[in-house]
Structure formats: structure tokens, C-alpha cells
Amino acid sequence: MLPLALLVLGRGAQAQAADGGVPEERDALRTDAGWTVEGAADAGPVLVPPSLRVDAPAPYPPELASERVAGVVRLELLVDAEGEVESATLVDGVHPLLDRSALHAAPSLRFAPATLDGVPVPVRVFFEYRFEAPPTADALREQQARAVTLRGLVRTKGNRRPIVGATLLSDLAPDAPAQTDAEGRFEARWPAGRHHVRVSAPGHKPGAFQETLAESQALEVVYGLEPLVINPYETVVRGDRERTEVSRVTLHDAELREVPGTMGDPFRVVMLLPGVGSMLSGVAYPVVRGGQPSSTGYFLDGIRVPILFHLFLGPAVIHPDFIDAIDFFPGSPPPQYGRLLGGAIEGRLTRPRDDRVHGSAYADLINAGFFLQTPIRSTDTHVSVAGRYSYTPWLVALAANKLQDPPAPGRLNPKLVLDFWDYQLRVEQDVGRGKLRLFAFGSSDTFGTQAQDAFGDTAMQSISFHRVDLRHRHPVGPGELELAATWGLDRFGVTNSHPPDDATELFIDQSMWAARAGYTLPLSRDLGLRAGADVDHKRAIVDLFEKTPGEEQQDVAPVALATFAGAWAELAWRPRPDWSVVPGVRLDSYHLSPGIDRRVVEPRLSVRHQYDERLVLKAGMGLFHQPPTSLISLPVVDVGSLFLGLQQSAQFSVGAEYKAWRRLDVGLDVYFNPMVRTIELTPFSDEGMVDGDPDPPTGPNLPKRGGRRRGTQILDDDDLGIPGRDDLDLPDFKSHGLAYGLELLIRHPLGDNWFGWLSYTLQRSTRRSRFHRYDAEGNVVGEARADLPFTFDQTHILNLVLSYKFSNSVTLGGVLHFNTGRPEYGTLGTQTHREGLDSSGRPSWVKVDRDRVDRLPAFLRLDLRLSRSWVYETFSLEAYLDMLNVTVSQETVSFEYEGGGGRPLSKQAVGLPVVLPILGVKGRY
């Protein structure tokens, strides 16, 4: 059944036929370079012949069984531009009944259409049916008596997934092929003897095996086929929940683990999505729509995660293989995400697999980790466990210690410590029609310098947390009920020691108990209800130990006791098939002992309209509240600051989603967020940084004694190490602000062996600020208020992400990141200075007012990821190089203003090229 010759219909054939004309037909010619058409030049059009997709066997007529007629029936088929058989004409016949059987079967054939220079065209092909007389009854009985059963499984090498629809052929039984079923299993009855078995399946390299079948025996085998591409970027249709939110981006699979510069960590990918800025390149705490990083909540299957990343620059605290997908809501998250002023990021855990044991292990230059999951079929239980441990105590710290100055005689330099680890454990049990799940996870980070002898100083900090969550889901009535309870412990510790008699140890422990409930109920075909409630109880204790010459003191005291409770509900209503309206409301109660209570009501509304099959229009609005926030989430601060009141913000957004050419998804969102009240406890430093000024101005903004400015703080010679706090730039508890912007996402989802996206963010974020006015000599002369860009305001942010998997299982990807600079306020660096004169008329640096500061320079960065995969019988191996900031670009975070007092003035950029080269290997079983 192969095409013997081709006769091409020209590209205008269909149009001519429609007009009543005669289609143009040209012969197909076979050349050394492939197929072309008659009359074409040497570089003429390229013809790709049709290929059979769906076979249509012609049955042997039972009436001819006794006559045992055999032969080949040759047909001419007209295959249209869709690959369907338009007509079939007999060319060479054998017998009227065989000819009729072939002509009846041919219209059911389906082809991949022929293409001429990439354009589908109709063609004529010669096609043949080969008829053989069926064996006689005696022959059948003899074959059956001598046949041997070969059964087994065909699976993909490496991941051991069963292959559906694989075909097995034997040279001793060419007319008795076998095919695998939905579980990848097959059974063949072939004659005894030595068989050469050929196994083929779409997307896999054919396999050849030799089997010796003995009479009166059955043979069980397992065949593994090597995939054409290891772990290809395949389009997978998932049963995600219906889209009702205005702004949501969902990432899956390789989009989470193979993005350059992210160390294979799913949560770091969020930094490359629209609406997300950064504090510093490489620091993976997202600044969403111009808010503080802690204004965005991090969740893991509904569990609030207090700290998301190790050591700020490191990977997330959850093993990547535990994450199945990530939902990112840059604004207007659904009402189940409460007590947030900004967006929400939720990681969804992988579904337990019940087919066999699965696992992975990896090691790179920073850490090593493992993941293992196994089903226990006898009890319908699934167990998953994962963990990671860092090498940084030996590698990074060792390198840093080697770069230090030689130690003083008889004394060792302090050792740099950068250490982290985490763990996860999940046990899921089927209970009737429901599921019970226990999920425990935790993390620990330790960093600082540790003395190596009795004379050295120690300055260490540690952050750790633990969570244990028990969840039960069960159908109740026509809906599903979810109940969950969570216990947690957070610890923040600081240790400082200065021999012989000066030591301070501070530990803040915050325990929490939480519970949540949710119910999903379909009320009708067009109306559904989602409702729930949650409560969160926190208790913080401070343990302080101080040792000074001749005195030791230890204080343990509770500092915060709080209970937060909320309830929410939303209706998903479809008044028409092309409209979706989702009104919702959330009620929250905040209680801080002894007697501080806040209660709020937060209405929400989102609307989606399916304008046509490619375009969706959407809009949403809502009201949001959150306790005062610090730079990142910290124990006690998140609770104890409630006495300052609540922050309040409204969010309004409109947008569109468009299915563009070649599977490109285009999303556009415009948002406007008036911040009615903001209490943002950003750590403020002094507004300027001047080094080497022997005769500084004596205004109240500078130290009164011989102080010196270095880094981002004022150091006094008598109180070395104590930041200067002589400015008014403290949080304004009556401040307000505004955030507005535009977000564009052009995305190619997984498929065709590549994925990628282009995200652009235009954002502005302002706050009502109070600041000083200065005269020409840098003295404070007054105060002012103005709406100024927020500390984290980055006006333009652009990300281009591309990753392609080649046929040799090599993957190459790149990320191009660009952002404009933040204002040079002095809050997270320096405040802008201008050249001026001091009181003696000499050139000097003069601090400018905050409404006249410069912006830091723009930043451009390139990340790359290169990997190669190998497949073995039961596991696969991947080696990878993932490098953040290949260009070693330096992001300017501040400036050093040097000179004055008769010395030349100079301005030096302060920054550090954050470069993270990750070389590692990962195995999957």
C-alpha cells in the first residue's frame, strides 16, 4: 500500500475547478534533492508526498475463500488538500469481488496531505491492495496447534511509561502483527522458532529484538523503546479549573523547571512574568505591581508559606518535583486569598502516581536534593518524601574565607557561614470516596560569621519554619467539602558575641494554629457557589540573653497574641454561554491582645466575555486589606504591628486575552490601584553616603562628632556600627499611594519542542511622602510633602524567555531581562548628591531634596541554560549548566560620593554583578 507515482494538481486547481475550469496537473519528479514538479528549475518548488495516517483494510470476500483467489488490486486515488480520498479509480483488477472490496475501502483512507513549498495541495497517487487467500480450516488448526504465546509490555525507556498503540511484527509471522492496548500490554500467537521482532511506535525509535519461542510454552517480555526526544515539550491538555479571574498566569512542567537563570526552581520563574519587579537582580522576592514583596502572599495548596526562598538568592524552600503547577495572580486574587494588599502566588502539589515507584536526585554546585514517591496498593496509600541540603558551608564559605586578609598572629579570622536545608513529606490515603492527606514541610537558613577561636567575634542569624497540615476532601451532597488544620512554628534568631564578656542572643518564636474549610456546590448548569472560612491563631515569644562585663540577664516574654478569622463566598454565574460574572465577598476579623480589633468587608467582582472564539474581554475590581508590612515577612512584625491599623487598597483592572497566530497567546491588562492607606515598614537608611569629607556640614542631618559615612549607614566613631537615625524619613502611618500600569504577555505554551514568552510591564507606583528640604550647604531648612515614586518603582520591565529542545535531546534556552532603575532616595542605598560649595566656598557634595533625586541606571542581563539528556532502560540522566547573568552585568544599587574639603569630587557607582553559575546533574527514575 505505497504510492507508486504522483500527478500534482497546481495550487490554483481548486479555484479553477470552482469556476468551472479544468485544474492544472503536472507530473511529480523524483530528484536527488527530493520531490519536485515537472518543468521546475533546479531550485524549484519542493514537493512533500502524502503519507498514510489512517489505514482502511479491504476485507477478503468470503465467497472467494473456496476458490483461493489472490493478487494485487491497483487503484488511482485523488487525495485532496485535507488528506481525504476524493475519488478512487480502478487501474488493474484481479477479480470483480476483490476489485469491489478495494474500491469500497479506499474512501476511508486518510493521509497527511501533500505540500508544495509548505502549502497543502491535492494530488493523484497510485495505491495497491494485496489480497491473500485465508488459510484453510486444516491449516488454521495446524497453525493454532503450533502457535506459541508471546505477551508482555512495551514502555518508554527512562520514564517507564507504557506505550499505547505500539506495533510488533515478526519475520516468521508477517501477517499476524500485534498491538499494545491502553496499558501498553500485548499478546501475540506466533509459530515456534527464532523470531526477529520489530517494535515501532509514534515518537520513538524502532526497536529490534530476538526471541526464541518453543512449542507448548508462553513467553513474557518487556520491551523498551528509546524516545526520539527525551522529555519532549509536549502540549498537554489539563483539567484546570475554569477561568474566572481577571489576571492569572498558570505555568506547567518545563515552564517551571527549565527556565534559564532560575536554578530549576518553579517559584523563581514568577520573577519573569508581567507585573513583577525586583529589589535586586537575583533576589527572587517579587515586587508585584509596585508594592512591597511582603504584600504578595505565597501559598502551597492553600497553606500560607512564611518564607519562600533560601538566603534570598537561593532556591525556594519546596523541592521542584513537588510542584505540579503555579498560579500567579498579579492583582485581584479570588476571595479565598485573604489578608493581602497585593497579588498571590500558589504552588499546586503534584498528584500522587499510583502506577509504580518514581524518584529523582540531583546535585549541583550549591546543594543536593532527592524526591521519592511510591504507592502502597494494598492500602490505597501514597507516600512522597523530598529534601535538600546545601554545600555552602564548605564551598562558598571556603572560597570567601580564602579571600580574607591574613589573620593576626595567634588569631583565626571568622568563618563565613551560608547554610540551608529543607524537607517535605506527604502521605495521602483514600478514604471511601474522599482523600485524607498529611503534608509536612520545613526549612532552615543560617548565615553570618562564626569565630574560629576564643578571640574572634561571632555574628549569626537564622530563620526557620515548620508546617504540618492535615486535609480531608470528600463529596458531600452534590458538591465537595474540604477541611484542613495546620500547625506551624517560625523562629528568627540573632547571635552576637565579642570576647571576652560581651554577648547577645535573641530568639523570636512564633507558633501558629490554623484551620480552613471550603465547599464547592453546583447550583445549576449556569450557576455555582464556592464558599469557605479560615482562622489563624499566632503567639510570639521573645527570648533575650545579654552578657556584659560583670552581669548576665535573660528575659523570656510573650510579645504578641493574635487571632485572624475570615469567611468568603463567590458565585460563578453564566447568564449566557459567552458571559461569566463572578461576584464575591470576603469578611475578615483581626484581633490583637489585649483588645485591638479590626473588622473589614471586601467585595470582589470579575467579569469575562467571550467576544468570539479567539478573543476574551475581562474586567475586575475589589477591596483589599492587610496588616502593616515589612520588607519581607518576619515573625512578630506581621502580628505585633497590627496596633498601627490596617492597610487598605482598591484594585481595578481591564484586559483582553487573544488566541493569535501559531498558538500564540496574547494577554493585555491595564490596572489602577488607589492605596487608601499604607503602612510599609521598609528599613530606611540615611539619605546620603559621603566618604572622605573631613569637614562636613554641621546641619542637623549629619553626625555632630567625627562621624564617617560608609555603605548605607552613618557610623559614629563613638558608637561604631549604630545606624544614624537623624532624618524624618520614617514610615508615615497616615500615608497613601497609587499604583497603575500596563502588562503585556505574548506566550507560546509547551509544544513543538519549544516554549517561551515576552512580558512587558509599564508600571508606576507612588506614595505620599514627608521629607526634608536642604539649603546649598546641605543643612535642613524645612519639611515638605509630595507624591513621590515608591522605593521599588521600576517604570519599564521587559523579559524575553525562549527554550528549545533539539532532536538530539540537547536543550538550549535564554532569558533577556531589562529594567529601569529605582529612585535614588537613600532608603535602600544612597540619596542623590549634587556638586556644590561648603561654608568655606570649597567644592563639596550637597544632598538634594527627595523630590529631585535621580534614578539609578537601567539594568540589562542575559541568562542561559544548556542541558543534555541520556536515557537508559529504567532511568534518565540530565547534565545542565544554568547561569544567571552570563554577561556579568553589574546592577548599580547606590553611589559613593567622594572628595570635598579641597579634594576633587568623584562619583563612583556601587554595585555587585550577581552571577550564579549552576553546574549539575539530575537523574530520574
Side-chain angles (χ1 to χ4, degrees):
M1 295 182 291
L2 297 174
L4 303 178
L6 297 103
L7 198 62
V8 182
L9 280 72
R11 297 188 218 193
Q14 290 178 319
Q16 293 173 8
D19 295 336
V22 178
E24 173 193 0
E25 297 193 5
R26 288 181 287 169
D27 288 329
L29 302 177
R30 183 67 180 266
T31 68
D32 293 339
W35 288 90
T36 184
V37 295
E38 182 185 28
D42 293 339
V46 176
L47 174 68
V48 178
S51 58
L52 186 64
R53 279 186 173 174
V54 180
D55 195 8
Y60 189 91
E63 303 92 317
L64 296 180
S66 59
E67 301 180 27
R68 305 190 58 74
V69 179
V72 176
V73 177
R74 185 173 291 111
L75 308 176
E76 181 186 271
L77 306 180
L78 174 58
V79 181
D80 62 19
E82 302 297 329
E84 297 186 0
V85 177
E86 186 173 317
S87 65
T89 304
L90 180 65
V91 177
D92 293 317
V94 176
H95 187 280
L97 293 180
L98 296 180
D99 301 344
R100 184 186 307 167
S101 178
L103 289 170
H104 285 176
S108 298
L109 296 168
R110 294 294 182 270
F111 294 85
T115 59
L116 189 62
D117 278 352
V119 178
V121 293
V123 296
R124 297 187 190 277
V125 298
F126 292 115
F127 197 82
E128 62 182 29
Y129 278 99
R130 186 179 301 274
F131 291 94
E132 294 183 0
T136 62
D138 292 341
L140 284 174
R141 282 192 294 271
E142 182 180 353
Q143 289 180 7
Q144 191 69 22
R146 294 175 54 85
V148 179
T149 298
L150 176 69
R151 64 171 65 93
L153 172 69
V154 179
R155 65 188 185 186
T156 302
K157 286 185 177 181
N159 58 29
R160 298 166 293 142
R161 293 177 182 171
I163 301 177
V164 180
T167 301
L168 296 90
L169 290 173
S170 170
D171 60 336
L172 296 186
D175 299 326
Q179 197 168 44
T180 58
D181 58 17
E183 296 180 354
R185 306 199 69 84
F186 71 92
E187 182 171 312
R189 294 281 293 172
W190 290 339
R194 186 174 179 82
H195 291 253
H196 296 275
V197 182
R198 180 177 174 84
V199 185
S200 59
H204 296 75
K205 298 178 182 179
F209 307 91
Q210 292 189 358
E211 303 292 351
T212 301
L213 304 183
E215 293 185 13
S216 304
Q217 292 183 1
L219 184 62
E220 184 88 15
V221 295
V222 176
Y223 293 145
L225 296 186
E226 182 177 347
L228 294 176
V229 179
I230 303 173
N231 299 320
Y233 294 161
E234 297 176 330
T235 302
V236 179
V237 179
R238 293 173 177 267
D240 287 337
R241 60 177 181 270
E242 180 186 5
R243 287 295 303 269
T244 58
E245 306 83 0
V246 178
S247 301
R248 185 184 93 191
V249 179
T250 301
L251 302 175
H252 295 285
D253 301 325
E255 296 174 311
L256 299 177
R257 300 176 183 89
E258 297 189 18
V259 175
T262 64
M263 297 186 287
D265 193 278
F267 285 101
R268 292 178 67 95
V269 182
V270 174
M271 301 299 299
L272 303 173
L273 296 179
V276 179
S278 63
M279 297 185 292
L280 178 67
S281 176
V283 176
Y285 279 88
V287 177
V288 179
R289 291 187 174 178
Q292 279 192 317
S294 55
S295 296
T296 299
Y298 312 113
F299 299 85
L300 196 61
D301 267 8
I303 309 167
R304 188 74 176 263
V305 182
I307 297 173
L308 192 57
F309 297 99
H310 290 294
L311 303 176
F312 298 102
L313 288 172
V317 297
I318 304 296
H319 193 285
D321 289 350
F322 248 116
I323 303 298
D324 176 65
I326 285 183
D327 291 330
F328 172 50
F329 305 90
S332 301
Q336 63 261 38
Y337 303 105
R339 298 185 280 277
L340 289 174
L341 204 64
I345 301 171
E346 172 147 25
R348 287 185 265 158
L349 296 182
T350 55
R351 302 175 180 90
R353 302 177 64 173
D354 55 6
D355 53 350
R356 54 191 178 274
V357 177
H358 292 271
S360 67
Y362 76 91
D364 56 37
L365 295 180
I366 292 181
N367 66 120
F370 76 96
F371 172 79
L372 181 66
Q373 61 176 349
T374 179
I376 304 176
R377 295 187 178 89
S378 60
T379 58
D380 291 329
T381 306
H382 301 84
V383 179
S384 305
V385 61
R388 288 185 290 189
Y389 189 76
S390 71
Y391 305 136
T392 46
W394 302 290
L395 296 182
V396 179
L398 178 63
N401 294 330
K402 291 294 184 182
L403 297 177
Q404 293 182 1
D405 295 332
R411 180 176 298 186
L412 295 177
N413 285 326
K415 179 177 68 174
L416 178 64
V417 177
L418 298 169
D419 188 18
F420 67 83
W421 52 261
D422 59 60
Y423 67 91
Q424 300 89 42
L425 170 66
R426 176 181 63 188
V427 180
E428 189 161 303
Q429 176 68 52
D430 291 342
V431 180
R433 294 187 300 156
K435 289 185 179 296
L436 183 67
R437 187 194 72 185
L438 175 68
F439 182 50
F441 61 102
S443 164
S444 174
D445 295 310
T446 303
F447 50 94
T449 57
Q450 185 176 26
Q452 299 187 70
D453 58 14
F455 304 98
D457 296 340
T458 294
M460 300 283 290
Q461 296 187 43
S462 62
I463 302 175
S464 63
F465 75 86
H466 305 273
R467 292 291 185 272
V468 179
D469 181 77
L470 183 64
R471 186 186 76 175
H472 181 56
R473 282 184 171 178
H474 199 279
V476 175
E480 184 180 64
L481 176 67
E482 175 183 324
L483 299 173
T486 307
W487 170 86
L489 176 65
D490 305 334
R491 164 166 280 206
F492 175 73
V494 177
T495 300
N496 286 290
S497 65
H498 308 279
D501 296 319
D502 189 0
T504 301
E505 293 183 356
L506 173 66
F507 294 98
I508 302 175
D509 290 331
Q510 180 172 283
S511 60
M512 59 85 67
W513 288 94
R516 64 187 186 278
Y519 187 61
T520 303
L521 175 65
L523 299 175
S524 67
R525 187 181 64 179
D526 303 323
L527 186 64
L529 171 67
R530 294 189 288 263
D534 56 77
V535 60
D536 193 352
H537 179 76
K538 298 181 179 180
R539 182 173 184 265
I541 297 177
V542 173
D543 185 353
L544 176 62
F545 171 79
E546 291 184 293
K547 179 181 179 182
T548 57
E551 183 179 358
E552 290 187 7
Q553 182 177 354
Q554 184 172 3
D555 296 317
V556 179
V559 295
L561 183 65
T563 301
F564 302 155
W568 58 273
E570 65 176 4
L571 286 172
W573 177 41
R574 284 190 171 273
R576 286 174 22 187
D578 56 342
W579 280 92
S580 173
V581 181
V582 184
V585 65
R586 182 176 177 92
L587 294 86
D588 275 297
S589 172
Y590 302 81
H591 172 75
L592 176 65
S593 297
I596 297 176
D597 292 282
R598 317 281 182 184
R599 293 179 178 84
V600 295
V601 178
E602 299 178 350
R604 315 274 175 94
L605 176 66
S606 65
V607 179
R608 295 174 64 90
H609 173 50
Q610 188 79 41
Y611 183 79
D612 57 33
E613 62 180 10
R614 303 177 70 180
L615 178 63
V616 175
L617 304 177
K618 55 187 182 178
M621 62 185 68
L623 189 64
F624 299 85
H625 297 81
Q626 186 174 0
T629 51
S630 54
L631 185 63
I632 62 173
S633 179
L634 291 174
V636 177
V637 176
D638 299 341
V639 176
S641 59
L642 188 61
F643 76 93
L644 299 173
L646 292 175
Q647 301 183 89
Q648 181 178 341
S649 172
Q651 298 187 15
F652 303 91
S653 62
V654 295
E657 298 171 2
Y658 183 67
K659 297 289 185 182
W661 178 71
R662 289 187 179 273
R663 296 185 65 242
L664 289 180
D665 297 334
V666 180
L668 178 67
D669 290 277
V670 178
Y671 66 92
F672 178 80
N673 299 345
M675 300 179 182
V676 181
R677 188 168 190 249
T678 59
I679 310 173
E680 294 162 317
L681 308 176
T682 303
F684 286 78
S685 63
D686 191 74
E687 291 182 326
M689 179 172 63
V690 178
D691 185 24
D693 187 354
D695 187 18
T698 57
N701 60 309
L702 295 176
K704 301 303 184 223
R705 297 184 296 274
R708 54 190 177 94
R709 298 192 181 198
R710 174 75 66 180
T712 58
Q713 63 185 14
I714 300 178
L715 303 182
D716 191 282
D717 288 342
D718 294 336
D719 300 302
L720 190 63
I722 305 301
R725 304 299 311 141
D726 52 2
D727 208 346
L728 293 178
D729 296 317
L730 295 172
D732 189 340
F733 302 145
K734 295 182 180 179
S735 182
H736 57 273
L738 179 66
Y740 58 93
L742 176 148
E743 298 164 357
L744 174 66
L745 178 63
I746 303 175
R747 177 184 176 194
H748 183 280
L750 287 170
D752 302 328
N753 282 333
W754 74 284
F755 72 87
W757 63 83
L758 172 69
S759 68
Y760 168 72
T761 302
L762 169 65
Q763 66 172 8
R764 294 306 306 270
S765 181
T766 63
R767 300 292 187 274
R768 189 68 176 175
S769 302
R770 180 180 55 159
F771 55 92
H772 281 143
R773 293 288 186 196
Y774 300 95
D775 62 15
E777 297 181 357
N779 297 310
V780 175
V781 295
E783 298 179 20
R785 287 181 179 270
D787 294 322
L788 302 180
F790 186 46
T791 300
F792 299 111
D793 181 85
Q794 292 174 322
T795 307
H796 302 282
I797 305 171
L798 179 72
N799 296 289
L800 176 62
V801 179
L802 290 174
S803 184
Y804 188 84
K805 190 178 287 289
F806 295 90
S807 58
N808 58 354
S809 296
V810 171
T811 303
L812 178 63
V815 168
L816 184 67
H817 169 83
F818 169 82
N819 64 261
T820 52
R822 302 188 309 269
E824 190 189 0
Y825 279 149
T827 51
L828 292 175
T830 55
Q831 183 164 337
T832 304
H833 284 64
R834 298 277 188 262
E835 294 185 11
L837 300 174
D838 61 15
S839 57
S840 302
R842 295 174 297 182
S844 178
W845 289 111
V846 177
K847 186 187 306 182
V848 304
D849 299 343
R850 288 190 62 168
D851 57 346
R852 300 186 181 120
V853 301
D854 297 333
R855 282 187 176 265
L856 297 171
F859 178 67
L860 180 67
R861 186 189 79 224
L862 175 65
D863 311 328
L864 286 178
R865 187 180 192 274
L866 177 65
S867 68
R868 174 71 162 92
S869 298
W870 297 268
V871 65
Y872 301 92
E873 190 64 37
T874 59
F875 70 97
S876 63
L877 196 64
E878 180 188 28
Y880 55 89
L881 173 63
D882 190 352
M883 186 168 180
L884 176 79
N885 196 7
V886 173
T887 51
V888 196
S889 302
Q890 176 173 298
E891 183 175 14
T892 300
V893 297
S894 60
F895 289 94
E896 280 189 356
Y897 298 90
E898 298 182 345
R903 294 188 301 163
L905 301 181
S906 66
K907 180 180 179 180
Q908 300 284 339
V910 176
L912 182 66
V914 178
V915 180
L916 292 177
I918 305 298
L919 180 64
V921 61
K922 182 174 184 177
R924 297 180 177 90
Y925 172 74

